[in-house]
Amino acid sequence: MTQVDERPDAHPLAEGLLPPLPIGYFYNVNKENSNSERESIYLVETSDIFDKYHIKVRSIICSVKSQFQNIVIADTCNHGISLFLDGVIQSSANDEDLYHELLVQPAMLLHERPHDVLIIGGGEGATLREVLAHHTVRRAVMVDIDQQAVDLCRQHLLQWHCGAFEDPRVELHYRDGREFVEIDDRLFDVIIVDVVDLLDNGPAQRLYTRQFYELVRQRIRPGGILVVQGLELSINHWKDHAALRRTLRTVFTNVGGYQMNIPSFFCSWGFLIASDRSDMLETMSAQDIDARIAARLDPEWLDHLDGALLRSSFCSSKELSLYLSLPGPIVEDDSLYERLPDIEEVDPTWEKLRLARGGE
């Protein structure tokens, strides 16, 4: 939601023609969004090794190289204020609530009474914000390796964390997430892994391996739940998500995947939820999910998520379901991760049409 001090009569559709909006929503007449490219600043988003996305920005709020990564916070024309790490967009003001609601709330709602929650990553503080919305939470431990990045987010991304870092239930640690779960033997009801999306056989991949998930499982109480941001997921990009899903299934009894289009990510994004319990969200009705939301959260808290949306997010196309069902590699500590080869259909469309006509 964008709150601005803008008079409705500044818009061509003023004088009573603009439809009313719900409480908390405002029309924002932004006169800076012209089509002129003169004196424009562009950031290049580099998450795809083949395609580059040029993002027009109004201003660069900060640009810092920390011990671990390049950090840029910029005010973009299409996505609002946005966080970039090493050239890759991480979250944006206009849709971060969609991403973070889908990441956090399904696991929190599935658990009966989440008291202790561990967040690995989540430097913006929005994951923390969504966790603390549950009154049952008595302790939220957040572990992020880059204190400088977190400090910049605390300073510039107020809309993300909404003061969550100052909540007395919060415990912050600036260290490697894997090292934390190796050393700290406390147990948690829900563990959320929200770290950079890299399966490139680099250092960050240690937070995606079977051995890491085995460590995490030791830190989950009986009936507890793990949720992981599950990388890009579509019929064009599914191999890494599928590998993570297979990897989690070597450790947990039940693993479910769901997806949502996140506009600022330029793609549909996957999420993975894992547990040893028998019940999972994809088996619940939309009405049951809505009942849990009503019982657990303030009625005005969620901007996007409801039972119908969450149920639909577990649905995949026939083709994607086929791809996700295939056997393949898992992610291991000491093995080079190699993706499955590309898959193409043999039967051309004209042959299918011939058969549809009765095999003329």
Short mmCIF file of all heavy atoms in Angstrom, two decimals, residues 69-116:
data_model
loop_
_atom_site.label_atom_id
_atom_site.label_comp_id
_atom_site.label_asym_id
_atom_site.label_seq_id
_atom_site.Cartn_x
_atom_site.Cartn_y
_atom_site.Cartn_z
N GLN A 69 29.06 -8.68 -0.10
CA GLN A 69 28.30 -8.47 -1.32
C GLN A 69 28.18 -6.99 -1.65
O GLN A 69 28.44 -6.13 -0.79
CB GLN A 69 26.90 -9.07 -1.17
CG GLN A 69 26.13 -8.53 0.02
CD GLN A 69 25.05 -9.46 0.51
OE1 GLN A 69 24.51 -10.27 -0.25
NE2 GLN A 69 24.69 -9.35 1.77
N ASN A 70 27.77 -6.71 -2.88
CA ASN A 70 27.44 -5.35 -3.30
C ASN A 70 25.98 -5.07 -2.99
O ASN A 70 25.10 -5.85 -3.39
CB ASN A 70 27.71 -5.17 -4.79
CG ASN A 70 29.18 -5.20 -5.13
OD1 ASN A 70 29.95 -4.38 -4.61
ND2 ASN A 70 29.59 -6.12 -5.99
N ILE A 71 25.72 -3.97 -2.30
CA ILE A 71 24.37 -3.64 -1.84
C ILE A 71 23.94 -2.34 -2.49
O ILE A 71 24.64 -1.32 -2.39
CB ILE A 71 24.34 -3.48 -0.31
CG1 ILE A 71 24.92 -4.71 0.38
CG2 ILE A 71 22.92 -3.19 0.17
CD1 ILE A 71 25.39 -4.45 1.80
N VAL A 72 22.82 -2.36 -3.18
CA VAL A 72 22.25 -1.15 -3.77
C VAL A 72 20.78 -1.07 -3.37
O VAL A 72 20.04 -2.05 -3.50
CB VAL A 72 22.37 -1.15 -5.31
CG1 VAL A 72 21.63 0.05 -5.90
CG2 VAL A 72 23.82 -1.13 -5.74
N ILE A 73 20.38 0.07 -2.86
CA ILE A 73 18.97 0.37 -2.61
C ILE A 73 18.63 1.55 -3.51
O ILE A 73 19.27 2.60 -3.45
CB ILE A 73 18.70 0.69 -1.14
CG1 ILE A 73 19.04 -0.51 -0.26
CG2 ILE A 73 17.23 1.08 -0.94
CD1 ILE A 73 18.90 -0.27 1.23
N ALA A 74 17.64 1.36 -4.38
CA ALA A 74 17.29 2.38 -5.37
C ALA A 74 15.78 2.58 -5.40
O ALA A 74 15.00 1.65 -5.12
CB ALA A 74 17.80 1.97 -6.75
N ASP A 75 15.37 3.79 -5.77
CA ASP A 75 13.96 4.10 -5.97
C ASP A 75 13.66 3.89 -7.45
O ASP A 75 14.05 4.69 -8.30
CB ASP A 75 13.68 5.54 -5.55
CG ASP A 75 12.19 5.88 -5.61
OD1 ASP A 75 11.39 4.97 -5.90
OD2 ASP A 75 11.84 7.05 -5.37
N THR A 76 13.01 2.78 -7.79
CA THR A 76 12.75 2.44 -9.19
C THR A 76 11.39 2.97 -9.62
O THR A 76 10.48 3.15 -8.80
CB THR A 76 12.79 0.92 -9.41
OG1 THR A 76 11.61 0.32 -8.86
CG2 THR A 76 14.03 0.31 -8.76
N CYS A 77 11.24 3.21 -10.91
CA CYS A 77 9.99 3.77 -11.43
C CYS A 77 8.85 2.77 -11.41
O CYS A 77 7.71 3.12 -11.13
CB CYS A 77 10.21 4.29 -12.85
SG CYS A 77 11.33 5.70 -12.95
N ASN A 78 9.13 1.51 -11.71
CA ASN A 78 8.05 0.52 -11.81
C ASN A 78 7.80 -0.25 -10.53
O ASN A 78 6.68 -0.75 -10.32
CB ASN A 78 8.36 -0.48 -12.92
CG ASN A 78 7.77 -0.07 -14.25
OD1 ASN A 78 6.93 0.81 -14.32
ND2 ASN A 78 8.23 -0.69 -15.33
N HIS A 79 8.80 -0.40 -9.68
CA HIS A 79 8.66 -1.30 -8.53
C HIS A 79 8.80 -0.60 -7.18
O HIS A 79 8.73 -1.25 -6.15
CB HIS A 79 9.70 -2.42 -8.63
CG HIS A 79 9.68 -3.16 -9.92
ND1 HIS A 79 8.62 -3.95 -10.30
CD2 HIS A 79 10.57 -3.20 -10.94
CE1 HIS A 79 8.86 -4.47 -11.50
NE2 HIS A 79 10.04 -4.03 -11.90
N GLY A 80 9.00 0.71 -7.18
CA GLY A 80 9.22 1.41 -5.92
C GLY A 80 10.64 1.18 -5.42
O GLY A 80 11.52 0.70 -6.15
N ILE A 81 10.86 1.50 -4.17
CA ILE A 81 12.19 1.30 -3.59
C ILE A 81 12.52 -0.19 -3.61
O ILE A 81 11.69 -1.02 -3.24
CB ILE A 81 12.24 1.85 -2.15
CG1 ILE A 81 12.07 3.38 -2.19
CG2 ILE A 81 13.55 1.49 -1.46
CD1 ILE A 81 11.97 4.02 -0.83
N SER A 82 13.73 -0.51 -4.07
CA SER A 82 14.10 -1.91 -4.28
C SER A 82 15.51 -2.17 -3.75
O SER A 82 16.37 -1.29 -3.80
CB SER A 82 14.04 -2.28 -5.77
OG SER A 82 12.74 -2.06 -6.30
N LEU A 83 15.69 -3.39 -3.28
CA LEU A 83 16.99 -3.83 -2.78
C LEU A 83 17.64 -4.76 -3.80
O LEU A 83 17.02 -5.73 -4.25
CB LEU A 83 16.81 -4.57 -1.45
CG LEU A 83 18.04 -5.29 -0.89
CD1 LEU A 83 19.10 -4.29 -0.46
CD2 LEU A 83 17.64 -6.19 0.29
N PHE A 84 18.90 -4.47 -4.15
CA PHE A 84 19.68 -5.30 -5.06
C PHE A 84 20.92 -5.80 -4.33
O PHE A 84 21.60 -5.02 -3.66
CB PHE A 84 20.14 -4.51 -6.29
CG PHE A 84 19.03 -3.97 -7.14
CD1 PHE A 84 18.33 -2.83 -6.77
CD2 PHE A 84 18.69 -4.59 -8.33
CE1 PHE A 84 17.31 -2.32 -7.57
CE2 PHE A 84 17.67 -4.09 -9.14
CZ PHE A 84 16.98 -2.95 -8.75
N LEU A 85 21.20 -7.09 -4.44
CA LEU A 85 22.43 -7.66 -3.91
C LEU A 85 23.20 -8.31 -5.05
O LEU A 85 22.67 -9.17 -5.76
CB LEU A 85 22.12 -8.71 -2.82
CG LEU A 85 21.38 -8.20 -1.58
CD1 LEU A 85 21.12 -9.36 -0.62
CD2 LEU A 85 22.15 -7.09 -0.88
N ASP A 86 24.43 -7.85 -5.24
CA ASP A 86 25.27 -8.35 -6.33
C ASP A 86 24.55 -8.30 -7.67
O ASP A 86 24.59 -9.24 -8.48
CB ASP A 86 25.75 -9.77 -6.04
CG ASP A 86 26.80 -9.81 -4.93
OD1 ASP A 86 27.49 -8.78 -4.75
OD2 ASP A 86 26.93 -10.85 -4.27
N GLY A 87 23.83 -7.19 -7.90
CA GLY A 87 23.17 -6.98 -9.17
C GLY A 87 21.85 -7.68 -9.35
O GLY A 87 21.24 -7.58 -10.41
N VAL A 88 21.37 -8.38 -8.33
CA VAL A 88 20.13 -9.16 -8.44
C VAL A 88 19.09 -8.55 -7.51
O VAL A 88 19.34 -8.35 -6.32
CB VAL A 88 20.37 -10.63 -8.08
CG1 VAL A 88 19.07 -11.42 -8.15
CG2 VAL A 88 21.42 -11.24 -9.01
N ILE A 89 17.91 -8.28 -8.05
CA ILE A 89 16.84 -7.70 -7.24
C ILE A 89 16.37 -8.71 -6.20
O ILE A 89 16.17 -9.89 -6.50
CB ILE A 89 15.69 -7.22 -8.15
CG1 ILE A 89 14.79 -6.24 -7.41
CG2 ILE A 89 14.91 -8.39 -8.72
CD1 ILE A 89 13.86 -5.46 -8.34
N GLN A 90 16.25 -8.26 -4.96
CA GLN A 90 15.85 -9.13 -3.85
C GLN A 90 14.41 -8.89 -3.41
O GLN A 90 13.69 -9.84 -3.10
CB GLN A 90 16.79 -8.92 -2.65
CG GLN A 90 18.25 -9.17 -2.96
CD GLN A 90 18.52 -10.61 -3.36
OE1 GLN A 90 18.09 -11.55 -2.69
NE2 GLN A 90 19.23 -10.80 -4.45
N SER A 91 14.01 -7.65 -3.33
CA SER A 91 12.62 -7.33 -3.01
C SER A 91 12.35 -5.88 -3.33
O SER A 91 13.27 -5.05 -3.35
CB SER A 91 12.29 -7.65 -1.55
OG SER A 91 13.06 -6.87 -0.67
N SER A 92 11.08 -5.58 -3.57
CA SER A 92 10.67 -4.24 -3.97
C SER A 92 9.43 -3.83 -3.20
O SER A 92 8.59 -4.67 -2.84
CB SER A 92 10.37 -4.19 -5.48
OG SER A 92 11.55 -4.44 -6.21
N ALA A 93 9.31 -2.53 -2.99
CA ALA A 93 8.22 -2.01 -2.17
C ALA A 93 6.85 -2.42 -2.70
O ALA A 93 5.93 -2.69 -1.93
CB ALA A 93 8.32 -0.48 -2.08
N ASN A 94 6.70 -2.48 -4.03
CA ASN A 94 5.37 -2.70 -4.59
C ASN A 94 4.88 -4.13 -4.48
O ASN A 94 3.68 -4.39 -4.64
CB ASN A 94 5.35 -2.28 -6.06
CG ASN A 94 5.45 -0.77 -6.23
OD1 ASN A 94 5.51 -0.03 -5.25
ND2 ASN A 94 5.50 -0.31 -7.46
N ASP A 95 5.77 -5.10 -4.23
CA ASP A 95 5.30 -6.48 -4.13
C ASP A 95 6.01 -7.30 -3.07
O ASP A 95 5.84 -8.51 -3.02
CB ASP A 95 5.39 -7.19 -5.49
CG ASP A 95 6.80 -7.22 -6.07
OD1 ASP A 95 7.77 -7.05 -5.31
OD2 ASP A 95 6.93 -7.39 -7.29
N GLU A 96 6.80 -6.66 -2.21
CA GLU A 96 7.49 -7.45 -1.17
C GLU A 96 6.50 -8.12 -0.24
O GLU A 96 6.75 -9.21 0.27
CB GLU A 96 8.49 -6.59 -0.39
CG GLU A 96 7.91 -5.46 0.46
CD GLU A 96 7.37 -5.93 1.81
OE1 GLU A 96 7.63 -7.08 2.21
OE2 GLU A 96 6.66 -5.14 2.44
N ASP A 97 5.34 -7.46 0.01
CA ASP A 97 4.36 -8.07 0.91
C ASP A 97 3.79 -9.36 0.32
O ASP A 97 3.52 -10.32 1.03
CB ASP A 97 3.25 -7.09 1.28
CG ASP A 97 2.63 -6.41 0.07
OD1 ASP A 97 3.12 -6.61 -1.06
OD2 ASP A 97 1.66 -5.65 0.26
N LEU A 98 3.62 -9.40 -1.01
CA LEU A 98 3.15 -10.62 -1.66
C LEU A 98 4.15 -11.75 -1.44
O LEU A 98 3.80 -12.86 -1.03
CB LEU A 98 2.94 -10.36 -3.15
CG LEU A 98 2.57 -11.58 -4.01
CD1 LEU A 98 1.26 -12.18 -3.57
CD2 LEU A 98 2.52 -11.19 -5.49
N TYR A 99 5.42 -11.48 -1.72
CA TYR A 99 6.45 -12.49 -1.54
C TYR A 99 6.54 -12.95 -0.09
O TYR A 99 6.56 -14.17 0.19
CB TYR A 99 7.81 -11.94 -2.00
CG TYR A 99 8.98 -12.83 -1.62
CD1 TYR A 99 9.31 -13.94 -2.40
CD2 TYR A 99 9.73 -12.58 -0.47
CE1 TYR A 99 10.37 -14.76 -2.06
CE2 TYR A 99 10.80 -13.40 -0.12
CZ TYR A 99 11.11 -14.48 -0.90
OH TYR A 99 12.16 -15.31 -0.55
N HIS A 100 6.60 -12.03 0.84
CA HIS A 100 6.83 -12.41 2.23
C HIS A 100 5.61 -13.07 2.87
O HIS A 100 5.74 -13.93 3.74
CB HIS A 100 7.29 -11.20 3.04
CG HIS A 100 8.70 -10.79 2.72
ND1 HIS A 100 9.00 -9.71 1.92
CD2 HIS A 100 9.89 -11.35 3.05
CE1 HIS A 100 10.32 -9.60 1.80
NE2 HIS A 100 10.88 -10.58 2.47
N GLU A 101 4.40 -12.68 2.46
CA GLU A 101 3.22 -13.40 2.94
C GLU A 101 3.25 -14.85 2.48
O GLU A 101 2.95 -15.77 3.25
CB GLU A 101 1.94 -12.71 2.45
CG GLU A 101 1.61 -11.42 3.17
CD GLU A 101 0.32 -10.78 2.67
OE1 GLU A 101 -0.48 -11.47 2.01
OE2 GLU A 101 0.12 -9.58 2.95
N LEU A 102 3.62 -15.08 1.21
CA LEU A 102 3.66 -16.45 0.69
C LEU A 102 4.80 -17.25 1.31
O LEU A 102 4.69 -18.46 1.49
CB LEU A 102 3.80 -16.43 -0.83
CG LEU A 102 2.52 -16.49 -1.67
CD1 LEU A 102 1.85 -17.85 -1.52
CD2 LEU A 102 1.54 -15.39 -1.30
N LEU A 103 5.89 -16.60 1.64
CA LEU A 103 7.02 -17.31 2.25
C LEU A 103 6.70 -17.73 3.68
O LEU A 103 6.97 -18.87 4.08
CB LEU A 103 8.26 -16.41 2.24
CG LEU A 103 9.48 -16.94 3.00
CD1 LEU A 103 10.08 -18.14 2.28
CD2 LEU A 103 10.53 -15.84 3.17
N VAL A 104 6.14 -16.82 4.45
CA VAL A 104 6.03 -17.02 5.90
C VAL A 104 4.71 -17.63 6.33
O VAL A 104 4.68 -18.59 7.12
CB VAL A 104 6.24 -15.67 6.63
CG1 VAL A 104 6.00 -15.82 8.13
CG2 VAL A 104 7.64 -15.13 6.36
N GLN A 105 3.61 -17.10 5.85
CA GLN A 105 2.32 -17.41 6.46
C GLN A 105 1.85 -18.85 6.29
O GLN A 105 1.25 -19.41 7.23
CB GLN A 105 1.25 -16.43 5.97
CG GLN A 105 1.50 -14.99 6.38
CD GLN A 105 1.61 -14.82 7.90
OE1 GLN A 105 1.18 -15.67 8.67
NE2 GLN A 105 2.20 -13.71 8.32
N PRO A 106 2.08 -19.52 5.16
CA PRO A 106 1.61 -20.92 5.08
C PRO A 106 2.16 -21.80 6.19
O PRO A 106 1.41 -22.56 6.82
CB PRO A 106 2.09 -21.36 3.69
CG PRO A 106 2.07 -20.10 2.90
CD PRO A 106 2.54 -19.04 3.84
N ALA A 107 3.45 -21.74 6.46
CA ALA A 107 4.03 -22.57 7.52
C ALA A 107 3.52 -22.13 8.90
O ALA A 107 3.22 -22.98 9.75
CB ALA A 107 5.56 -22.49 7.47
N MET A 108 3.44 -20.83 9.12
CA MET A 108 2.96 -20.34 10.42
C MET A 108 1.51 -20.74 10.66
O MET A 108 1.12 -21.06 11.79
CB MET A 108 3.12 -18.82 10.48
CG MET A 108 4.55 -18.33 10.44
SD MET A 108 5.53 -18.80 11.90
CE MET A 108 4.78 -17.74 13.15
N LEU A 109 0.71 -20.74 9.61
CA LEU A 109 -0.70 -21.11 9.76
C LEU A 109 -0.88 -22.61 9.92
O LEU A 109 -1.80 -23.07 10.60
CB LEU A 109 -1.50 -20.62 8.54
CG LEU A 109 -1.65 -19.09 8.42
CD1 LEU A 109 -2.15 -18.72 7.04
CD2 LEU A 109 -2.58 -18.56 9.50
N LEU A 110 -0.01 -23.40 9.28
CA LEU A 110 -0.13 -24.85 9.40
C LEU A 110 0.20 -25.32 10.81
O LEU A 110 -0.41 -26.25 11.33
CB LEU A 110 0.79 -25.53 8.38
CG LEU A 110 0.76 -27.06 8.36
CD1 LEU A 110 -0.64 -27.57 8.05
CD2 LEU A 110 1.76 -27.59 7.34
N HIS A 111 1.17 -24.68 11.45
CA HIS A 111 1.53 -25.07 12.82
C HIS A 111 0.45 -24.60 13.79
O HIS A 111 -0.09 -23.50 13.68
CB HIS A 111 2.88 -24.45 13.19
CG HIS A 111 3.51 -25.10 14.37
ND1 HIS A 111 3.08 -24.88 15.67
CD2 HIS A 111 4.54 -25.99 14.47
CE1 HIS A 111 3.82 -25.59 16.50
NE2 HIS A 111 4.72 -26.27 15.79
N GLU A 112 0.12 -25.46 14.76
CA GLU A 112 -0.96 -25.14 15.68
C GLU A 112 -0.65 -23.93 16.56
O GLU A 112 -1.48 -23.03 16.72
CB GLU A 112 -1.28 -26.35 16.58
CG GLU A 112 -1.94 -27.51 15.85
CD GLU A 112 -0.93 -28.31 15.03
OE1 GLU A 112 0.29 -28.09 15.18
OE2 GLU A 112 -1.38 -29.16 14.23
N ARG A 113 0.54 -23.89 17.16
CA ARG A 113 0.92 -22.77 18.04
C ARG A 113 2.43 -22.53 17.92
O ARG A 113 3.20 -23.04 18.73
CB ARG A 113 0.55 -23.07 19.50
CG ARG A 113 -0.94 -23.12 19.77
CD ARG A 113 -1.24 -23.25 21.27
NE ARG A 113 -0.79 -22.09 22.02
CZ ARG A 113 -1.49 -20.96 22.14
NH1 ARG A 113 -2.65 -20.82 21.49
NH2 ARG A 113 -1.04 -19.96 22.87
N PRO A 114 2.83 -21.78 16.91
CA PRO A 114 4.26 -21.53 16.76
C PRO A 114 4.78 -20.57 17.83
O PRO A 114 4.41 -19.40 17.86
CB PRO A 114 4.35 -20.91 15.36
CG PRO A 114 3.01 -20.30 15.12
CD PRO A 114 2.02 -21.17 15.84
N HIS A 115 5.63 -21.09 18.72
CA HIS A 115 6.20 -20.27 19.79
C HIS A 115 7.58 -19.75 19.42
O HIS A 115 7.90 -18.58 19.67
CB HIS A 115 6.31 -21.09 21.08
CG HIS A 115 5.00 -21.44 21.69
ND1 HIS A 115 4.04 -20.49 21.98
CD2 HIS A 115 4.47 -22.64 22.10
CE1 HIS A 115 2.99 -21.08 22.53
NE2 HIS A 115 3.22 -22.39 22.59
N ASP A 116 8.42 -20.62 18.89
CA ASP A 116 9.81 -20.28 18.61
C ASP A 116 10.09 -20.44 17.12
O ASP A 116 9.86 -21.52 16.55
CB ASP A 116 10.75 -21.18 19.42
CG ASP A 116 10.48 -21.06 20.91
OD1 ASP A 116 10.62 -19.96 21.45
OD2 ASP A 116 10.11 -22.10 21.53
#
